[in-house]
Amino acid sequence: MLEKITHSLDAYYSNRLNRITARILMFVAGLLYSAYSARFATQVDTELGKDVGGLAACFAVVNWFCFILLGRTLFFDRIALVVGALAGLFWLFVGDAIALPFWAGMMAMLVHLYRGWGRLSNIHVLYVFLMIMSISMYRQVYEYSAHPVYLAFFALLFVGYLLYAWSLKIAARKREVQLAILAEAEKAQQTAAEADQLLAQRIASLEKKRGLPAPLLAELAQITASARQILQCMETDKRDEVPGRRFLDRYLPGVEMIVTQGQTLSEQLLDDQQRQKSVEEQLEMMRRLRSAFHQQHQALLENDADDLNSELKTLDKLLKTDGYVK
């Protein structure tokens, strides 16, 4: 419903002829409102205000200007219009109804100027001029000091809106920071997933290696099996992701280097003694690496073992509490 009303107002005000018509209607509204409410004014402070005709004529212009200010907020800044309406509503409890558009328009335009401070244009100079003229003409009828309670409310209302707007900005900044953190976390998670996928591809490439001496192939098979188990630990337990990824990033290149260069030497070395020596050196290093991969896998399993022990202890306590175990 509100969206339909907003769309209708925007469509109406987009037409130049409609804007001119709205200005004329605001003048008529200011004239009629002032003429009617002038008869009930009882708090005027000047000779001009005591004359009903002079009061109506003066406020016909004031209210026309203020209706223009309110019209600006109606079409362009409805939050400012709501705050202005609150200021005008409270005025009815303390002052003459003829001045209601003045206080509502002043508050609405103050909020509007604050909200659009960084986007003010030449048209706002006109609205500031209308505000100054309205304040000057209002002063010809009423003393501002005659309603100190209302002035305090007016100031508190404006300050309250400023605090509200400030809190919204702070909340928006917090949301931006949170979104940035979430985006960074998602990016890191995506990067980690891509890194893990690359590790899996490298392990699969090692599993397909052929053409090595049988002892090297046997050690390689055990290394890749442990590497697969490390990847599985990383997938099932987030605590294992960092140490597991760090280990594989550090030692998989070494395995790849031995396998690649070992295969090349096996194919190209003609001297049997040199080839055998190279194979033995590679085999010794592969045994050390196999042991390291196995130890790393066992270290990652410690978390799972600790979790299982904790669960077993909890289950044992439940059994004893319920009387099934003494």
Side-chain angles (χ1 to χ4, degrees):
M1 183 64 179
L2 290 176
E3 292 182 358
K4 291 182 179 179
I5 295 174
T6 300
H7 179 72
S8 299
L9 289 173
D10 293 340
Y12 176 84
Y13 206 73
S14 62
N15 184 280
R16 183 179 180 84
L17 179 60
N18 290 342
R19 292 197 295 270
I20 296 174
T21 303
R23 296 289 190 274
I24 296 174
L25 292 176
M26 290 173 189
F27 173 73
V28 174
L31 183 65
L32 294 177
Y33 181 83
S34 301
Y36 175 77
S37 57
R39 294 176 294 174
F40 305 101
T42 60
Q43 300 180 8
V44 294
D45 300 309
T46 65
E47 292 299 325
L48 175 62
K50 293 177 182 178
D51 175 46
V52 175
L55 176 64
C58 179
F59 263 87
V61 179
V62 172
N63 288 338
W64 176 35
F65 289 167
C66 292
F67 280 142
I68 291 176
L69 300 180
L70 291 170
R72 170 72 185 186
T73 58
L74 173 64
F75 290 109
F76 293 100
D77 193 349
R78 294 174 186 95
I79 293 179
L81 178 65
V82 171
V83 181
L86 290 175
L89 180 64
F90 189 77
W91 171 258
L92 286 178
F93 295 98
V94 298
D96 293 335
I98 194 172
L100 183 150
F102 170 80
W103 291 106
M106 291 299 105
M107 177 60 75
M109 188 50 55
L110 283 174
V111 173
H112 177 62
L113 291 174
Y114 170 78
R115 284 169 53 81
W117 185 256
R119 306 184 303 275
L120 298 182
S121 60
N122 294 334
I123 191 63
H124 290 91
V125 176
L126 171 62
Y127 293 123
V128 172
F129 174 75
L130 294 181
M131 291 178 68
I132 295 173
M133 292 298 298
S134 300
I135 292 171
S136 177
M137 298 181 73
Y138 180 93
R139 181 66 181 79
Q140 297 179 22
V141 178
Y142 291 101
E143 293 284 349
Y144 288 107
S145 59
H147 299 90
V149 175
Y150 180 77
L151 290 177
F153 169 79
F154 188 89
L156 288 174
L157 181 61
F158 184 64
V159 171
Y161 172 77
L162 295 181
L163 293 175
Y164 171 73
W166 179 75
S167 67
L168 289 181
K169 290 181 180 179
I170 296 298
R173 290 174 184 172
K174 289 182 178 179
R175 283 195 297 272
E176 290 178 359
V177 172
Q178 291 173 349
L179 290 175
I181 293 174
L182 289 175
E184 189 67 24
E186 290 178 358
K187 183 178 179 180
Q189 186 175 5
Q190 183 179 2
T191 302
E194 292 174 353
D196 292 346
Q197 185 177 4
L198 180 59
L199 288 173
Q201 292 174 356
R202 293 167 66 181
I203 294 171
S205 177
L206 288 172
E207 290 172 336
K208 296 177 183 178
K209 286 292 182 181
R210 296 293 183 269
L212 291 172
L216 287 177
L217 285 176
E219 295 295 337
L220 179 61
Q222 295 186 55
I223 289 174
T224 54
S226 294
R228 285 289 183 189
Q229 292 170 331
I230 292 174
L231 278 181
Q232 186 177 3
C233 288
M234 292 165 57
E235 293 175 359
T236 57
D237 191 343
K238 291 187 178 295
R239 293 171 297 180
D240 296 336
E241 288 183 0
V242 174
R245 190 177 298 113
R246 186 187 298 120
F247 178 86
L248 292 176
D249 285 337
R250 176 174 295 181
Y251 292 105
L252 264 184
V255 177
E256 292 169 334
M257 181 270 296
I258 293 174
V259 170
T260 302
Q261 294 186 7
Q263 186 175 12
T264 301
L265 290 175
S266 297
E267 295 173 352
Q268 297 182 4
L269 278 177
L270 300 178
D271 189 294
D272 292 340
Q273 186 177 359
Q274 289 183 349
R275 185 167 56 248
Q276 183 61 31
K277 181 180 179 183
S278 176
V279 170
E280 290 176 357
E281 291 175 349
Q282 296 170 38
L283 183 59
E284 179 62 25
M285 183 54 64
M286 291 290 279
R287 287 169 178 165
R288 294 178 183 177
L289 287 170
R290 182 249 302 163
S291 176
F293 273 75
H294 177 73
Q295 290 179 47
Q296 180 62 28
H297 176 233
Q298 293 301 311
L300 296 181
L301 288 176
E302 289 180 2
N303 290 331
D304 297 331
D306 292 340
D307 291 342
L308 178 59
N309 289 335
S310 178
E311 293 294 334
L312 291 176
K313 289 179 181 179
T314 302
L315 185 59
D316 184 57
K317 289 181 180 179
L318 288 175
L319 290 171
K320 291 180 180 179
T321 300
D322 294 335
Y324 295 110
V325 177
K326 295 183 180 180

